Amino acid sequence: MDTPMTREEKAYIDTLSHYDLLYGIRFAKVGDPRFQGEKGKYWLQRREEMRKVDPEQAVRDSKEMGW
């Protein structure tokens, strides 16, 4: 079942930096509710959009964050 995203959730995701978005993706536990349904799709889409705008910053974020 696809979980709808609220306006508030979308607005929150829009405030996050690329680092914050990537951190959530990289270190979330399996089944994390942030990545369920429409909200999860939007989170991934937003991170990808930000990566495309500044790919060098995306690489710096990834290296700084580590694994």
Side-chain angles (χ1 to χ4, degrees), residues 22-35 43:
L22 182 61
Y23 190 92
I25 293 165
R26 192 168 285 185
F27 297 110
K29 294 182 180 179
V30 173
D32 189 308
R34 292 177 292 178
F35 303 106
W43 185 293

Side-chain angles (χ1 to χ4, degrees), residues 1-2 5-8 12-13 18-20 23 25-26 28-29 31 33 36 43 45 48 51 59-60 63 65-66:
M1 182 166 128
D2 200 17
M5 177 174 49
T6 67
R7 272 186 263 140
E8 292 80 12
Y12 170 71
I13 292 168
H18 175 269
Y19 185 96
D20 295 332
Y23 190 92
I25 293 165
R26 192 168 285 185
K29 294 182 180 179
Q36 302 299 313
W43 185 293
Q45 174 189 330
E48 182 63 20
R51 185 191 67 78
V59 170
R60 284 191 300 272
K63 287 181 178 182
M65 182 179 310

Side-chain angles (χ1 to χ4, degrees), residues 4 8 10 13 15-17 24-25 28 32-33 35 37 39 41 47-48 51 53 57-58 63-64 66:
E8 292 80 12
K10 182 181 184 299
I13 292 168
T15 69
L16 298 175
S17 67
I25 293 165
D32 189 308
F35 303 106
K39 181 172 47 175
K41 291 175 190 171
R47 201 234 22 121
E48 182 63 20
R51 185 191 67 78
V53 169
Q57 182 62 49
K63 287 181 178 182
E64 180 181 324

